[in-house]
Amino acid sequence: SPSDAEAAECALIALRDRTPGLIEWRGLYTDLRERSGYTLIRADGSLLTRAWIDYDGEPLPDAAKAGEPQAADIFEACRSRTSTGEKVLYVADALDTEAILCDDAAPIPGL
């Protein structure tokens, strides 16, 4: 299996090239809470994302969001960063424009 660094590198390349597929990520920390989620690159190059934050062992979902990814050169520039955590942050925050698709109780369209 790939290392975290290799997986982050592959995810950045997939986002840069708009390669359709699912990217799962975990281990980001926000206010000392672990954040995990996924980014789905659709066939048209648009993205669908969803995240969960761990509150005392309970995963609480954030709203699903869809939109256009950041410019390809942003993902390419991030590849030169040495911190795997910084790379994963770019993967997690890949959307440039976004619209909320559903709240935590509603199904995600198209998934």
Side-chain angles (χ1 to χ4, degrees):
S1 73
S3 70
D4 289 345
E6 291 169 326
E9 180 77 9
C10 287
L12 288 168
I13 291 169
L15 287 163
R16 178 197 67 195
D17 297 343
R18 312 301 195 251
T19 305
L22 182 66
I23 301 167
E24 295 181 72
W25 46 270
R26 65 179 79 66
L28 292 178
Y29 288 87
T30 306
D31 298 327
L32 301 178
R33 307 284 184 186
E34 185 174 5
R35 187 173 151 215
S36 60
Y38 64 81
T39 300
L40 175 66
I41 306 171
R42 296 173 165 174
D44 66 1
S46 67
L47 304 180
L48 176 68
T49 67
R50 188 133 200 205
W52 285 262
I53 296 177
D54 185 329
Y55 282 102
D56 298 324
E58 289 292 320
L60 298 177
D62 194 4
K65 299 173 186 169
E68 295 303 314
Q70 296 185 46
D73 60 339
I74 291 174
F75 298 115
E76 180 60 30
C78 181
R79 292 179 60 211
S80 67
R81 298 191 180 264
T82 56
S83 165
T84 299
E86 284 182 359
K87 290 179 180 183
V88 174
L89 183 61
Y90 273 84
V91 172
D93 295 330
L95 285 172
D96 184 39
T97 61
E98 64 184 53
I100 294 176
L101 292 179
C102 65
D103 62 23
D104 60 351
I108 299 171
L111 189 64

